[in-house]
């Protein structure tokens, strides 16, 4: 196996890496070879919170240093390794929370304008969800019009960002016991922006210098993301664009088409992508595409934007984070349209190697060398059409070095929290009861959320794919979002048939009865809030304890790279979930800080972090945790009986 072939488990990715090499086009995979991560920064031991530094306070070479040795290891201001490491960790949480929540703010503003009827092209698609949200936000329904209710919901949601007093409203959706834990610890999230500002303030030079206090504040900030910003995004996007229901969709670079104009939408906010989907069928646009000799326009998604339009429209997915440059390497992407987050600056360089027009659209994110066509919700359709026309015009500029991988995989996606509810319980008696019953009787051992990114420091898609396969083999139902959902999809795990092929007998029997895949795609990264809602629904349905931390459940992000992933992991931990990360752990510079996150959080928040880059070992940790929770609930014996029954059945079948 050549070095190149070890970069990914996905053949389409390898094929494009080889092509990039032939074309002389550099990608992130090359840069990862050329530049190693800084070891001091990697362990969270570098502080540059003031210009007397940067101060480097690396972990001690030997274990068990004396207190005197330890005091000598500080920054100029005396900040200890613990403070520096906790501050760095907390800043990651603040940045991740800011990213999800600023996305949410944008969605809320468009939602409010839609409610007021100010933005053509946008409408309220899911009234049922609007009513539910209105109730949770304390908006009166009565016999008021949808418009009136929606305007109030928009205002209420918007005021959650700048809230100065009280508690974030949607956090009241959490189980009561969970809310009590937050209140007792003083980590109940207040305003969304307030928590981000609070954390940036206390991590400044000379402010909060007690690592436990810093880490609890980070927990509070992350909760403002999970139960605040991210949840508002998901809710309002569903109200505006429809709550996902099961839909078929294809994944991988093979979805690009040689004889059509290819437009890749990449990023996170579904606002412009939804409008692009809408204007695609415009006869004028279709005609323009045919005039340049193309058979039509092929829309493809990349990263979380892909998840959004896949879940709601079945638009094919080009790939995940590490495939963004490689889509362009095919030579057939006529335009790549980006908004915010996870867009590599190198796209501009890669686009130059081919003919691709890179188009930035967000007022928050411009890229040097890209064309900027700003998304303006008041003229969204015009902007969308102009973007498509740029792509159409560019079709003629394709160079001869075109090569599209053949790989595409079929998937069934669209498992919102509401959809799972309906599928399990039926439209008229929607409930999580059948899921709870199957967890209690042991057919389903537990639930795992496997989420997060790709990371150029590990083999692309491999840790996520192996982990997910191992979990379902052991009867753990897996929920996926973000880029890990695409690792599952490309690997063939997002189909009902995958249950028979890969799942343990117990899980497979449930999946076959309900007709669902053993791995449920729940959406983009902001939609991790759907997992919080699903976990809460399971708790509320009864029989599995009275808090999320009682559930036989665990989370993981083995290929994480973004600060957003740390914010997500932290809100899962602060919601009571054991969460395992891979690749590298950002606080190893301080044993105390790491121990606090990995062990002591369990005593207070009843959830904790874990670190394990090896996917099989990570699966083992998660399954052990699930079994520990089953035992505490007194349902461990039921599973043994189910497995025994199955062995008996097989024996009888064989006889
Ligand atoms: O928000 S999983 S690489 S695309 S950060 Fe980015 Fe990570 Fe992908 Fe979406 Ni999430
Ligand atoms: Fe160094 Fe303290 Fe300044 Fe950080 S805040 S750079 S540890 S002097």
């Amino acid at each position: 196996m050549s070095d190149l072939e070890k970069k990914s488990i996905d053949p389409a990715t390898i094929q494009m890496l080889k092509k990039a090499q032939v074309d002389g086009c550099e990608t992130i995979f090359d840069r990862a070879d050329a530049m190693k991560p800084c070891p001091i920064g990697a362990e969270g031991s570098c502080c540059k919170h003031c210009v007397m530094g940067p101060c480097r306070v690396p972990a001690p070479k030997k274990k068990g240093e004396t207190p005197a040795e330890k005091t000598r290891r500080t920054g100029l201001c005396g900040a200890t390794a613990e403070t520096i490491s906790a501050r760095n960790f907390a800043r990651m949480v603040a940045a991740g929370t800011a990213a999800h929540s600023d996305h949410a703010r944008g969605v809320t503003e468009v939602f409010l304008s839609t409610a007021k009827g100010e933005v053509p092209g946008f409408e309220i698609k899911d009234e049922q969800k609007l009513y539910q949200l209105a109730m949770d936000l304390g908006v009166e329904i009565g016999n008021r019009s949808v418009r009136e209710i929606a305007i109030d919901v928009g205002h209420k949601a918007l005021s959650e960002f700048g809230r100065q007093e009280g508690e974030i409203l949607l956090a009241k959706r959490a189980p009561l016991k969970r809310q009590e834990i937050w209140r007792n610890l003083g980590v109940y999230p207040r305003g969304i922006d307030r928590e981000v500002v609070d954390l940036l303030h206390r991590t400044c030079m000379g402010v909060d210098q007690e690592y436990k206090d810093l880490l609890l504040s980070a927990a509070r900030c992350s909760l403002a993301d999970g139960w605040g910003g991210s949840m508002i995004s998901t809710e309002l996007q569903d109200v505006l664009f429809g709550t996902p229901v099961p839909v078929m969709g294809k994944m991988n670079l093979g979805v690009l088409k040689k004889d059509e104009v290819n437009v890749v939408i990449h990023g996170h906010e579904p606002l412009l992508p939804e409008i692009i989907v809408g204007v695609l069928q415009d006869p004028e646009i279709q005609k323009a595409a045919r005039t340049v000799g193309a058979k039509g326009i092929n829309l493809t998604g990349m990263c979380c934007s892909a998840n959004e339009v896949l879940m709601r429209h079945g638009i094919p997915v080009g790939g995940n984070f590490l495939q963004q440059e490689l889509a362009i390497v095919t030579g057939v992407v006529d335009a790549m349209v980006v908004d915010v987050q996870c867009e590599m600056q190198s796209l501009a360089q890669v686009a130059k190697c081919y003919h691709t027009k890179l188009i930035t659209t967000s007022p928050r994110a411009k890229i040097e060398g890209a064309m900027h066509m700003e998304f303006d919700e008041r003229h969204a359709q015009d902007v969308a059409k102009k973007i498509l026309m740029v792509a159409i015009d560019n079709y003629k500029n394709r160079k001869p070095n075109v090569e599209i991988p053949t790989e595409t995989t079929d998937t069934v996606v669209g498992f919102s929290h509401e959809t799972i509810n309906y599928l399990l319980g039926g439209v008229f008696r929607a409930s999580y009861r059948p899921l709870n019953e199957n967890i209690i009787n042991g057919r389903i051992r537990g639930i795992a959320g496997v989420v997060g990114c790709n990371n150029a420091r590990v083999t692309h898609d491999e840790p996520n794919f192996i982990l997910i396969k191992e979990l379902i083999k052991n009867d753990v139902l897996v929920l996926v979002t973000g880029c890990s959902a695409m690792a599952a999809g490309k690997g063939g795990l997002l189909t009902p048939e995958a249950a028979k092929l890969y799942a343990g007998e117990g899980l497979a029997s449930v999946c076959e009865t309900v007709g669902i895949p053993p791995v449920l795609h729940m959406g983009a990264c902001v939609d991790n809030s759907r997992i919080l809602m699903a976990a809460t629904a399971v708790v509320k349905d009864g029989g599995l304890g009275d808090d999320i931390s009682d559930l036989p459940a665990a989370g993981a992000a083995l290929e994480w790279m973004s600060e957003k992933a740390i914010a997500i992991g932290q809100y899962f931990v602060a919601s009571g979930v054991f969460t395992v990360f891979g690749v590298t752990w950002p606080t190893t510079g301080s044993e105390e800080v790491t121990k606090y996150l990995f062990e002591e959080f369990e005593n207070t928040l009843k959830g904790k972090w874990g670190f394990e880059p090896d996917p099989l070992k990570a699966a083992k940790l998660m399954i052990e945790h699930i079994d520990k929770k089953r035992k505490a609930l007194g349902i461990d014996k039921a599973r043994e009986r189910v497995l025994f029954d199955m062995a008996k059945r097989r024996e009888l079948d064989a006889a």
Side-chain angles (χ1 to χ4, degrees):
M1 197 189 269
S2 77
D3 276 358
L4 217 55
E5 269 151 6
K6 292 187 203 130
K7 303 276 184 204
S8 174
I9 57 165
D10 167 33
T13 296
I14 302 292
Q15 187 186 341
M16 285 306 98
L17 284 177
K18 288 182 180 163
K19 179 173 188 294
Q21 214 166 50
V22 173
D23 295 345
C25 181
E26 190 192 86
T27 68
I28 185 172
F29 293 86
D30 302 305
R31 291 186 292 274
D33 284 340
M35 183 170 69
K36 294 294 162 216
C38 162
I40 297 166
E43 60 175 46
S45 297
C46 173
C47 179
K48 51 183 181 60
H49 294 196
C50 87
V51 294
M52 294 188 286
C55 296
R56 297 179 303 169
V57 186
K61 295 240 163 20
K62 60 174 176 73
K63 282 230 166 218
E65 58 178 354
T66 64
E69 283 169 325
K70 207 168 152 188
T71 359
R72 254 176 274 134
R73 268 191 331 107
T74 65
L76 251 68
C77 64
T80 60
E82 285 60 60
T83 298
I84 292 173
S85 164
R87 276 200 303 223
N88 284 330
F89 183 82
R91 284 228 164 159
M92 292 175 93
V93 172
T97 301
H100 290 140
S101 302
D102 211 32
H103 164 166
R105 188 196 324 274
V107 172
T108 310
E109 283 167 349
V110 171
F111 173 83
L112 190 54
S113 306
T114 305
K116 291 180 181 163
E118 293 167 356
V119 283
F122 292 96
E123 59 180 328
I124 285 166
K125 287 229 176 87
D126 190 339
E127 288 181 15
Q128 223 37 53
K129 190 144 182 166
L130 174 70
Y131 296 142
Q132 183 59 52
L133 184 59
M135 285 192 281
D136 293 343
L137 291 174
V139 170
E140 191 202 323
I141 297 179
N143 47 15
R144 300 167 79 212
S145 69
V146 170
R147 180 188 148 93
E148 283 171 318
I149 297 169
I151 291 175
D152 280 1
V153 163
H155 283 301
K156 277 262 186 180
L158 206 52
S159 63
E160 288 299 276
F161 296 91
R163 172 186 280 285
Q164 300 299 327
E165 288 169 347
E167 298 165 339
I168 282 182
L169 292 172
L170 292 182
K172 296 202 173 19
R173 288 177 162 182
L176 290 175
K177 189 162 168 203
R178 179 62 17 205
Q179 296 185 52
E180 204 180 297
I181 291 172
W182 294 337
R183 280 202 192 98
N184 291 340
L185 286 170
V187 301
Y188 208 113
R190 305 159 295 175
I192 299 168
D193 295 352
R194 178 174 181 162
E195 295 305 352
V196 175
V197 170
D198 174 277
L199 206 50
L200 288 176
H201 175 195
R202 62 174 74 226
T203 49
C204 270
M205 190 274 158
V207 188
D208 198 355
Q209 287 152 113
E210 193 183 85
Y211 74 87
K212 294 181 185 176
D213 201 43
L214 280 163
L215 296 176
L216 280 175
S217 307
R220 183 173 52 214
C221 181
S222 73
L223 290 170
D225 179 353
W227 299 87
S230 282
M231 199 171 276
I232 290 176
S233 292
T234 300
E235 295 290 304
L236 293 181
Q237 285 168 189
D238 281 355
V239 175
L240 277 177
F241 308 127
T243 303
V245 293
V247 59
M248 311 260 291
K250 291 190 182 302
M251 282 188 187
N252 217 344
L253 293 169
V255 302
L256 293 167
K257 296 195 176 139
K258 198 169 180 171
D259 48 10
E260 293 191 25
V261 174
N262 289 296
V263 178
V264 175
I265 40 178
H266 170 23
H268 286 80
E269 298 173 346
L271 303 170
L272 179 61
E274 281 286 334
I275 299 292
I276 294 182
V277 172
V279 299
L280 212 54
Q281 295 317 321
D282 187 311
E284 191 193 333
I285 297 283
Q286 288 294 330
K287 194 173 152 219
R290 282 194 302 275
T291 315
V292 297
K295 285 202 177 131
I297 303 180
N298 180 38
L299 197 62
T300 301
M302 185 64 60
C303 285
C304 281
S305 292
N307 286 325
E308 299 281 3
V309 287
L310 167 74
M311 295 277 285
R312 295 198 181 88
H313 305 284
I315 300 283
V317 171
N320 48 9
F321 176 72
L322 281 180
Q323 290 178 289
Q324 56 184 288
E325 295 169 317
L326 303 179
I328 300 179
V329 171
T330 60
V332 296
V333 173
D334 302 298
M336 181 176 271
V337 187
V338 303
D339 54 20
V340 289
Q341 303 168 21
C342 302
E343 291 132 11
M344 293 198 269
Q345 184 165 1
S346 61
L347 288 174
Q349 233 16 64
V350 179
K352 269 194 205 147
C353 297
Y354 302 90
H355 77 303
T356 306
K357 291 266 189 248
L358 179 66
I359 306 173
T360 52
T361 58
S362 167
R364 298 177 183 87
K366 296 186 181 176
I367 299 177
E368 219 170 286
M371 240 172 131
H372 189 71
M373 299 175 77
E374 201 155 302
F375 167 68
D376 170 354
E377 64 265 27
R378 285 161 305 167
H379 309 287
Q381 285 163 324
D382 288 347
V383 178
K385 280 185 198 164
K386 278 188 191 137
I387 288 173
L388 292 177
M389 288 309 292
V390 168
I392 292 168
D393 276 350
N394 198 27
Y395 181 76
K396 61 176 184 303
N397 299 326
R398 282 193 195 171
K399 296 179 182 169
N401 55 349
V402 159
E403 179 183 334
I404 308 175
T406 52
E407 277 78 12
T408 64
T409 315
D410 290 327
T411 62
V412 178
V413 305
F415 295 94
S416 55
H417 148 65
E418 290 82 349
T419 293
I420 297 177
N421 212 9
Y422 292 144
L423 282 177
L424 291 169
V427 179
F428 299 109
R429 53 182 177 90
S431 97
Y432 273 68
R433 188 85 305 247
L435 177 63
N436 284 31
E437 276 165 7
N438 279 303
I439 295 174
I440 293 166
N441 71 25
R443 279 195 187 89
I444 296 177
R445 191 176 196 156
I447 311 171
V450 179
V451 308
C453 326
N454 294 149
N455 185 313
R457 300 296 178 193
V458 296
T459 304
H460 170 229
D461 285 347
E462 187 175 65
N464 280 334
F465 183 69
I466 295 179
L467 171 69
I468 296 170
K469 243 174 66 178
E470 186 65 13
L471 289 169
I472 59 174
K473 188 175 112 191
N474 284 284
D475 295 313
V476 176
L477 177 69
V478 176
L479 311 176
V480 288
T481 58
C483 289
S484 84
M486 297 172 196
K490 286 181 285 172
L493 302 179
L494 297 184
T495 60
E497 296 72 44
K500 218 188 192 98
L501 290 172
Y502 303 106
E505 235 177 291
L507 175 62
S509 69
V510 178
C511 291
E512 277 164 32
T513 312
V514 188
I516 52 170
V519 182
L520 303 180
H521 189 343
M522 295 189 84
C525 284
V526 290
D527 297 329
N528 282 313
S529 62
R530 296 191 202 278
I531 302 184
L532 295 178
M533 288 299 292
T536 303
V538 171
V539 171
K540 289 189 175 161
D541 201 77
L544 290 168
D546 50 10
D547 178 36
I548 295 173
S549 67
D550 295 328
L551 300 177
L558 293 195
E559 297 179 45
W560 77 283
M561 63 87 196
S562 166
E563 290 162 319
K564 291 184 287 169
I566 283 285
I568 293 169
Q570 183 57 67
Y571 74 62
F572 272 110
V573 169
S575 300
V577 182
F578 172 48
T579 306
V580 186
F581 269 37
V583 191
T584 183
W585 183 252
T587 69
T588 47
S590 161
E591 222 176 287
E592 278 93 333
V593 167
T594 308
K595 196 162 168 250
Y596 193 75
L597 296 168
F598 286 23
E599 294 171 22
E600 284 167 48
F601 259 178
E602 197 168 33
N603 302 326
T604 51
L605 289 166
K606 311 273 177 235
K608 63 176 177 182
W609 284 95
F611 171 61
E612 180 49 71
D614 179 321
L616 291 177
K617 287 187 189 158
K620 192 161 172 271
L621 284 179
M622 293 165 79
I623 293 167
E624 278 168 6
H625 180 80
I626 284 170
D627 286 349
K628 189 177 89 184
K629 294 291 174 184
R630 293 189 65 88
K631 195 154 185 224
L633 288 164
I635 55 170
D636 46 331
K637 297 283 179 305
R639 180 167 161 76
E640 283 158 24
R641 270 198 303 279
V642 163
L643 296 181
F644 178 75
D645 284 352
M646 282 173 180
K648 252 279 141 330
R649 260 207 330 255
R650 263 200 307 267
E651 249 173 54
L652 290 175
D653 285 352

